[in-house]
Amino acid sequence: MQQNLLEIDDLTVRLPEGRAARPILDGVSLSVAAGEMVGLVGESGSGKSVACRSVLGLLPERARTDGEVRVAGRDVLTLSRDGLKELRTRQVSMIFQDPRASVNPMRRVGDFLTEGMRAAGVPAAAATDRAEELLDAVGIRDPRGALRRHPHQFSGGMLQRVVIAAALASRPSLLVADEPTTALDVTTQAEVIAILTRLQAERGTGMLFVTHDLELASAICDRVYVMYAGRIVETQAATDLFDRPRHPYTAGLLACTPRVEPDAAPPRPIPGRPVSLAESPSGCAFAARCAHAQERCSVEKPVLRQYDGQGLAACLRADEGILL
Amino acid sequence: MTTAVDVTALRRRPGLRRLRVFGQGPLFTAAVLLLAALVAVALFAPLLAPYDPDALDLQATLAGSSTDHLLGADQSGRDVLSRLLYGARSGLLGPLVVVALSTLLGILVGVVAAWRGGRVDALLSRSMDLVFSFPGLLVAIMFVAVTGPGMTAPVIAMAVAYTPYVGRLVRSIAQQEKARPYIESYLVQGWSGWTICVRHLLPNIAPTVLAQSAINFGYALMDLAALSFLGFGVQPPTADWGAMINEGEGALLQGAMLPALAPSVCIMLAVVAFSIVGEGIADRVAKRDR
Amino acid sequence: MTAVTAVPETTGASGLVVDGLRKEFGGRAAVEGVSFTLRPGGSLGIVGESGCGKTTTARMLVGLETPDAGTVHLGGRDRSARARGRAERLARAREIQMVFQDPYLSLDPRISVSACIEEVLRLHFPLDAPARRRRVAELLDQVGLGEREAAALPRRLSGGQRQRVAIARALAARPQVLILDEAVAALDVSIQAQILDLLAGIRRDEGIGFLFVSHDLAVVRHITDEVVVLRAGAIVESGPTTSVLTSPEHPYTRLLLDSVPRPGWDPARISAGRRALA
């Protein structure tokens, strides 16, 4: 099998004793191949953000980890400080939800874009030229003028483009985006997504796209992982996931999302609420909210298993085809 | 492992944390203990002091440390330890009044400025800037020049001088708090601005104000001691740390360190302790708001 | 019978009638000539992107901002100017209540759930203590909260639970109109649907009119009868929700609709459309 760009292998992350009753990540495995767009979907507390930050070696304070996070074959979790720096400046870039929080408001956009390149030894003039190219690539008009402006002179959507440009400056092979469009308006979201997908396809960058929005993930990703309570409960090709979810949670998420199409059924809520870190249910974490749960569901922990197609689901009853 | 067990294990934790809140760290605990000791000393000075603080004993003039006089005696032969213990009274009472008055006044000015906004805010803010631009010590000395030496005038002057420190802080955090939806939801429910301020806004900003006041307490203590040192504040022969340093100057020239050094150390410790407590409270508020 | 009209009925109109609303901030009009009518017990959506003036409009209706021009009437009573005196303030509060977007900031952190509802009752109704307690329990039950949550401080509750408290608190004043300003936007998807369900039930049972301010067309489609589309402070389109969302007339409405992600969604085409419109 060909080596993946990113491989998270059975990653478990525990907070220090007393801070949480269950691991925030529990045996998470996922992979992203070069040029692939992979979605990671979950609600608050699902662990999706922790998982995506682990790719950069960013872990919660005093957390204990098991498993590996390999980027191009090297385990990120055992990297030295220099190794991590090298990883972050050359191989992996991250885009966060709030562009205002990831840009120094006191500095010009040009400085923000070139500082990484300058640190990597690119001469000033070349770095500026490259920054201009990047701003042009993310659709900012008058890139030369933009370099001299400050972050507050940009709208949220424009600033997120600047952040994307900065993320691409180091020509990373992997882009990790944590809810990059959640803070944006829908029309702006469409534009930013259009830019991201175009650049990703042009450059063959692998991308891990983290979102709470299953619709969005299915619309733009090749494959989607669905997380619940720190575990991956289902993964499939995006189109299959949307048409034939195997896990009741995935099906529930799809059913509870309000749809704008004229003939769409009203959203059907999932009862209960996501499992907090203070709870550690035995068996399947979703059992308490699941319409299909049986007695054994609250005893036996389901493992990810392959069913008829390509996808994997962690549900004891997935083979019964209860959702079809 | 069952759910119930884990949840109770977690439940017990916040209780533990509440205990630890008092100990922000060993430094914070030490500062609180020191201040508590200081208050106790001020309250029980007559019981603790080995001598009458004003009793002259010319035979003991400039005596060094001994079993009779633990911290020696000053130029007039008065017991330094006793004077130090009594000195805690004026040392704490003065700043207490300054901080109490300036906090009250600052809250009033700050909340009104933040809540009313517009011209009221502009007027109050400019007034605070004006007061702020006068050195408090200078104003206090000017007051003394008019009224004659004594503590009342400088305490009032310092209270006014310290008001902008509180007022500016209150104004800025009250502005932030006012914009929060919970305050707006009370407006939508039909409560009067006055009620909302007193019942909801003030209690939520109080910890931050308390932190600032604790820090101010240390500064006020230092300023009032300076006034007494300069001879404008507490008048001899009353025992007061600032005045003691002043009186100790002569002793210093004659090679006796303790009469001036002991009150200096007391002032320093008290100021540092108040700062640590203030910062500690501020840290806690920041953590809570995070 | 269209309840959303550009020209509101003049005299004796029932429901919430908004006419020619205008608000400037620093010389720039945030809301300009906004007019609509919400019939009693109806549900009206105000949609648009951030900065379109939808929240400013909501804040003017509820008295948190004073309009520079235009009028707001509820049941024929004028509420455009600042309230004078306690009686008028309270009367207005019983007309319109509001639920805010952020459940983490809309409750006083120091006040327990039951106390925060009880104080509304004490302000508005002459109930004795046992009657107030019964009403608090009733309201909490209506939003699906029990005794355990009643005694809790807000920080012990999840976002969804807090939003339920905010709804119960708003209902406590027995308003005729409830303004929901992005009230489900900050919630998890699975919780969002629960709150929408809850709201639909409340509207059915209580006959309260809803004014649903949202950026989310899909949410608006399921909870409103009529919709007003705002862009840069002005209404670009209005009408029954189903017809506006199935056959939009204004290109901006169409763009908003196309922007909602779904399978087969083409973001590149949407951004081209957006540029064409700008």
Side-chain angles (χ1 to χ4, degrees), chain B residues 15-284:
Chain B
L16 276 180
R17 221 174 284 141
R18 207 167 301 142
L19 267 181
R20 258 192 290 134
V21 158
F22 202 73
Q24 276 272 318
L27 202 61
F28 184 83
T29 315
V32 169
L33 289 178
L34 185 76
L35 294 183
L38 205 59
V39 171
V41 164
L43 287 175
F44 302 114
L47 299 176
L48 297 168
Y51 295 92
D52 177 345
D54 300 330
L56 306 178
D57 177 3
L58 292 176
Q59 282 182 332
T61 299
L62 293 181
S65 176
S66 68
T67 41
D68 280 351
H69 298 282
L70 274 178
L71 294 176
D74 66 6
Q75 270 178 312
S76 312
R78 294 173 297 193
D79 181 48
V80 171
L81 177 62
S82 302
R83 290 184 68 71
L84 215 51
L85 295 177
Y86 273 91
R89 298 187 144 187
S90 67
L92 290 184
L93 189 64
L96 184 69
V97 176
V98 169
V99 166
L101 285 179
S102 62
T103 304
L104 280 177
L105 210 58
I107 287 177
L108 190 71
V109 172
V111 168
V112 169
W115 193 265
R116 298 297 298 272
R119 249 175 287 173
V120 176
D121 180 22
L123 183 72
L124 290 174
S125 295
R126 289 302 83 75
S127 313
M128 282 198 284
D129 290 346
L130 197 69
V131 176
F132 201 66
S133 59
F134 278 107
L137 217 50
L138 192 70
V139 179
I141 291 170
M142 278 157 48
F143 264 55
V144 174
V146 176
T147 61
M151 280 306 269
T152 319
V155 161
I156 292 173
M158 297 301 284
V160 173
Y162 274 72
T163 297
Y165 288 93
V166 181
R168 283 178 160 190
L169 174 79
V170 169
R171 176 178 168 272
S172 92
I173 54 176
Q175 264 178 344
Q176 281 171 29
E177 206 70 15
K178 188 193 168 195
R180 294 203 162 181
Y182 83 89
I183 294 286
E184 297 196 321
S185 75
Y186 283 112
L187 284 169
V188 172
Q189 282 165 31
W191 298 92
S192 69
W194 174 252
T195 314
I196 298 173
C197 284
V198 172
R199 274 212 235 154
H200 301 285
L201 196 142
L202 267 184
N204 278 304
I205 65 172
T208 315
V209 180
L210 185 70
Q212 179 66 43
S213 294
I215 295 169
N216 283 353
F217 201 107
Y219 289 137
L221 193 155
M222 201 155 61
D223 280 352
L224 289 174
L227 274 179
S228 297
F229 170 78
L230 293 171
F232 297 114
V234 177
Q235 294 302 301
T238 312
D240 175 89
W241 295 344
M244 283 171 75
I245 300 175
N246 181 336
E247 292 158 17
E249 267 184 322
L252 213 52
L253 294 175
Q254 293 171 45
M257 304 281 283
L258 281 172
L261 190 63
S264 306
V265 170
C266 285
I267 291 171
M268 191 194 75
L269 284 177
V271 172
V272 170
F274 275 112
S275 289
I276 291 173
V277 170
E279 301 283 352
I281 298 171
D283 274 0
R284 234 196 96 194

Side-chain angles (χ1 to χ4, degrees), chain A residues 93-266:
Chain A
S93 286
M94 185 142 176
I95 303 166
F96 295 94
Q97 175 175 345
D98 182 1
R100 300 242 174 252
S102 36
V103 179
N104 182 345
M106 303 302 288
R107 300 188 60 194
R108 291 173 198 281
V109 160
D111 297 334
F112 171 68
L113 279 168
T114 52
E115 65 187 350
M117 290 186 270
R118 300 281 291 122
V122 179
T128 308
D129 287 347
R130 174 119 177 83
E132 246 177 74
E133 266 171 53
L134 286 164
L135 286 181
D136 189 51
V138 295
I140 286 184
R141 273 171 249 166
D142 181 25
R144 183 167 291 262
L147 288 176
R148 282 194 300 273
R149 273 180 266 150
H150 283 94
H152 68 87
Q153 293 167 293
F154 291 81
S155 68
M158 283 296 161
L159 201 58
Q160 192 64 303
R161 294 168 188 227
V162 172
V163 171
I164 292 170
L168 294 170
S170 56
R171 302 180 204 274
S173 47
L174 178 66
L175 205 54
V176 180
D178 188 3
E179 306 256 11
T181 57
T182 305
L184 307 177
D185 280 317
V186 273
T187 58
T188 318
Q189 161 169 290
E191 287 202 342
V192 169
I193 295 286
I195 289 163
L196 266 180
T197 45
R198 176 171 56 82
L199 293 174
Q200 184 252 348
E202 277 172 16
R203 292 161 194 240
T205 316
M207 182 148 158
L208 184 63
F209 190 95
V210 179
T211 178
H212 67 281
D213 189 339
L214 187 50
E215 310 282 306
L216 177 61
S218 327
I220 63 171
C221 294
D222 303 317
R223 277 187 307 126
V224 175
Y225 292 88
V226 180
M227 286 191 77
Y228 189 77
R231 295 167 73 99
I232 287 178
V233 294
E234 174 160 15
T235 172
Q236 282 205 58
T239 41
D240 295 342
L241 187 79
F242 203 86
D243 297 335
R244 283 183 291 113
R246 300 308 300 249
H247 196 284
Y249 176 62
T250 318
L253 269 187
L254 287 169
C256 75
T257 310
R259 241 169 267 287
V260 78
E261 292 84 359
D263 52 344

